[in-house]
Amino acid sequence: MHPHDTDSIIGINWGSSNLRAYLIGADGRMLDSHEAPAGVATLQREGMVAAANEIRARWPEAGHAYAAGMIGSNVGWVDAGYVDCPAGAETVAQHLVPTRIGELALHIVPGMACVRAVDGAPDVMRGEETELLGLLAAGNVEPDAIVALPGTHTKWIQLRQGRVESFMTSMSGELFDRLASGGLLASVLEGPGEPGPAFAEGVRTAAEGTLGLGALLFGVRARMIRGALRRDQTSSYLRGLLAGAEIADAVALFPALGDASVPLVGSGPVTRLYQAALAERGFDAHTVASADAVIQGFCAIHALAGSSR
């Protein structure tokens, strides 16, 4: 048992594939963590109860508990809805959804929804809002900034005056995973892809915008067959194409992207790819550990929610 009291809280980042839970002290430090392949997409309701009970049993004396991510979606435990942007920490804290999963009483954090002014398109996110609020609370990002959260579905977020104004979601990570696991390109792809000359060439090719992504993707196979690309470079080139096209979209939507160093929130390998892609386009970026941002986000939400209890 960990030495803590009811001033400690539980924060759960409960996504589609994985569950990551943190015991957070009153001073905002992580006291303990727990991770399991227990995402909501893999569990029925009894499985969610079992996962929640395991967390409660691990940290029985913790006080309030919060969960963010797909656990609050229409395929999770309860639909926590979305708050409309522009929105900040106060709005999120005002729309927490109280519930109980087995032995664990908790509040589920709502997602965020926006309609982008540039193209009039809607977008939604769930889970990333807690990371953003953590960045702001810790002072790791300017109140007016562009933030990127690379991953399976990468988010590019415009912050204004410390609130989320609008954002864009790109499925580049999922596209790579699916193209590598089946279909025409799977037979020519090799390795996970990494920064280097082939990656940089892919970024530049997509950024030029001469052809659409559909034609460029087939070009991965054609280049390898015709000897313009070695097999061990194909994955890196494809990663570069996807990142380059995504950054071009982000620049079109958020022209202020190059005004300051872009915070990249996520895991090491994927943030390094995006840092290299942005550098190829002449943009500076720096990495922020996802767990640190999430923990600070839960602390910020707890402080605001507590003041209204």
Side-chain angles (χ1 to χ4, degrees):
M1 183 177 295
H2 297 270
H4 56 269
D5 55 28
T6 54
D7 289 333
S8 62
I9 65 171
I10 296 170
I12 309 169
N13 189 5
W14 203 334
S16 297
S17 303
N18 295 289
L19 177 156
R20 297 178 178 89
Y22 308 96
L23 178 66
I24 307 167
D27 58 359
R29 291 185 304 112
M30 183 182 73
L31 303 177
D32 193 15
S33 64
H34 168 71
E35 183 171 346
V40 299
T42 67
L43 302 176
Q44 300 296 323
R45 290 184 76 81
E46 58 269 24
M48 297 179 200
V49 169
N53 286 347
E54 183 177 0
I55 293 170
R56 174 45 77 199
R58 184 183 181 101
W59 303 315
E61 297 178 16
H64 296 283
Y66 302 89
M70 292 301 287
I71 191 66
S73 72
N74 59 358
V75 297
W77 182 259
V78 63
D79 191 340
Y82 298 93
V83 297
D84 292 326
C85 293
E90 296 84 358
T91 306
V92 170
Q94 290 167 4
H95 289 82
L96 297 173
V97 176
T99 189
R100 175 179 288 272
I101 307 178
E103 298 298 319
L104 183 64
L106 73 163
H107 284 79
I108 296 183
V109 181
M112 286 187 171
C114 76
V115 176
R116 293 189 295 265
V118 174
D119 61 350
D123 209 333
V124 294
M125 66 175 162
R126 193 178 291 283
E128 295 90 354
E129 74 292 319
T130 304
E131 293 175 277
L132 290 170
L133 299 180
L135 285 176
L136 288 164
N140 290 333
V141 63
E142 295 297 321
D144 295 321
I146 308 294
V147 182
L149 287 81
T152 303
H153 301 144
T154 297
K155 304 287 184 181
W156 295 82
I157 299 103
Q158 169 76 69
L159 299 176
R160 289 199 189 279
Q161 299 179 355
R163 300 194 301 168
V164 178
E165 182 175 85
S166 66
F167 50 91
M168 176 196 81
T169 306
S170 173
M171 296 178 64
S172 298
E174 181 175 343
L175 281 174
F176 180 85
D177 292 342
R178 291 187 179 274
L179 290 169
S181 62
L184 184 69
L185 293 186
S187 63
V188 302
L189 295 176
E190 183 176 295
E194 57 188 18
F199 176 81
E201 183 182 1
V203 172
R204 291 192 301 271
T205 300
E208 290 170 359
T210 305
L211 296 175
L213 196 55
L216 294 177
L217 291 178
F218 186 83
V220 178
R221 174 178 170 80
R223 283 171 178 252
M224 197 279 292
I225 289 175
R226 299 300 296 166
L229 194 65
R230 298 198 316 264
R231 181 180 289 273
D232 63 355
Q233 297 175 329
T234 51
S235 290
S236 296
Y237 180 73
L238 173 58
R239 288 276 196 188
L241 285 179
L242 293 169
E246 181 181 320
I247 292 170
D249 288 341
V251 171
L253 291 174
F254 310 121
L257 181 64
D259 290 350
S261 180
V262 179
L264 299 172
V265 187
S267 65
V270 70
T271 55
R272 284 193 292 272
L273 280 171
Y274 276 77
Q275 192 168 24
L278 284 163
E280 187 63 33
R281 294 293 314 276
F283 302 134
D284 183 51
H286 62 279
T287 61
V288 179
S290 177
D292 294 341
V294 168
I295 288 168
Q296 293 306 313
F298 281 124
C299 289
I301 290 169
H302 175 64
L304 289 166
S307 66
S308 63
R309 289 192 182 102

